[in-house]
């Protein structure tokens, strides 16, 4: 961390309590439960989430989260008062909005580059590489391409099944009548 302003911001982020002490279900418990994470791993994710928020504030173009950090961020966004009033207004002095990808290959490449830039900046700012079990070294694109390929494959398979099912009546008519349209449409 370079400046005193950055050090002060980092200290404020570290001192901020994401868990509401009077909540019956705390943020950290909910994050661990919904993702099947241990308490230790969840506390490490929350620490990395704090670093992500810090990078969003200090980098000129913000930062791109890993899928794991994105899970923590999405859940925190649902704690609207804690996120918007407590963190953004009270600690950061600015709003950090979530801008998901608009989709498509160009947009995906832009986000992959942004993610890689975030990992490089992480090394520069914190003096070490991001933990690989929370910040995946591989960019999102391989995951997203495989999900996209799987989705397209599912649609193609469903299309083939429906096409086959729709062709059965025509094949039966052809077998029974020797022609596709058995009706005499010209009249008697």
């Amino acid at each position: 961390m370079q400046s005193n302003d950055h050090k002060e911001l980092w200290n404020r982020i570290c001192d901020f309590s994401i868990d509401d002490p009077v909540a019956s279900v705390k943020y950290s418990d909910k994050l661990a439960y919904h993702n099947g994470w241990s308490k230790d791993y969840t506390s490490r994710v929350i620490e990395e989430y704090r670093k992500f928020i810090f990078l969003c504030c200090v980098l000129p173009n913000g930062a791109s989260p890993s899928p794991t950090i994105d899970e923590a961020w999405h859940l925190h966004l649902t704690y609207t008062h804690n996120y918007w009033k407590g963190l953004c207004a009270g600690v950061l002095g600015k709003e950090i909005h979530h801008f998901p990808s608009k989709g498509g290959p160009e947009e995906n490449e832009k986000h992959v580059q942004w993610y890689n830039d975030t990992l490089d900046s992480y090394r520069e700012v914190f003096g070490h590489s991001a933990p690989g079990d929370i910040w995946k070294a591989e960019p999102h694109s391989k995951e997203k391409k495989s999900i996209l390929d799987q989705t397209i494959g599912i649609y193609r398979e469903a299309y083939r099944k429906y096409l086959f099912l729709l062709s059965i009546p025509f094949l039966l008519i052809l077998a029974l009548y020797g022609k596709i349209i058995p009706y005499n449409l010209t009249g008697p």
Side-chain angles (χ1 to χ4, degrees):
M1 285 174 238
Q2 308 284 328
S3 70
N4 283 336
D5 290 341
H6 287 179
K7 288 177 185 173
E8 288 174 18
L9 174 62
W10 176 244
N11 288 335
R12 287 195 315 268
I13 291 171
C14 288
D15 291 340
F16 176 72
S17 178
I18 294 175
D19 279 332
D20 181 354
V22 296
S24 57
V25 178
K26 293 183 168 102
Y27 166 84
S28 58
D29 293 336
K30 196 171 187 179
L31 185 63
Y33 177 77
H34 284 293
N35 291 288
W37 298 338
S38 69
K39 289 222 179 249
D40 289 338
Y41 184 75
T42 302
S43 66
R44 289 182 52 236
V45 169
I46 291 170
E47 179 66 21
E48 293 303 314
Y49 170 62
R50 291 178 191 280
K51 290 178 181 178
F52 163 73
I53 291 295
F54 178 77
L55 291 173
C56 286
C57 292
V58 300
L59 298 179
N61 297 321
S64 178
S66 70
T68 304
I69 298 300
D70 205 38
E71 287 294 322
W73 192 13
H74 282 207
L75 182 61
H76 196 197
L77 284 165
T78 66
Y79 287 76
T80 57
H81 191 272
N82 183 280
Y83 182 81
W84 292 109
K85 300 273 188 207
L87 179 64
C88 292
V91 173
L92 308 176
K94 69 187 234 174
E95 295 180 346
I96 305 291
H97 289 274
H98 189 284
F99 297 105
S101 170
K102 296 174 186 168
E106 288 177 19
E107 186 76 3
N108 188 47
E109 287 307 311
K110 180 179 90 173
H111 277 268
V112 167
Q113 185 59 48
W114 192 18
Y115 182 73
N116 289 333
D117 291 345
T118 299
L119 291 177
D120 292 341
S121 296
Y122 185 105
R123 274 188 290 284
E124 290 174 22
V125 170
F126 297 107
H128 58 84
S129 295
D133 60 336
I134 297 172
W135 293 86
K136 309 293 185 238
E138 288 293 316
H140 303 314
S141 65
K142 290 187 180 180
E143 287 178 32
K144 288 185 178 178
K145 284 181 183 175
S146 68
I147 291 170
L148 180 61
D149 290 343
Q150 290 173 4
T151 304
I152 290 171
I154 290 168
Y155 282 125
R156 282 185 182 151
E157 187 62 31
Y159 178 75
R160 286 185 192 126
K161 287 178 184 176
Y162 289 124
L163 187 60
F164 176 74
L165 289 173
L166 290 172
S167 65
I168 289 175
F170 293 104
L171 293 174
L172 286 173
I173 291 169
L174 180 64
L176 292 173
Y177 297 103
K179 55 185 173 180
I180 296 290
I181 302 174
Y183 307 107
N184 186 353
L185 298 177
T186 59

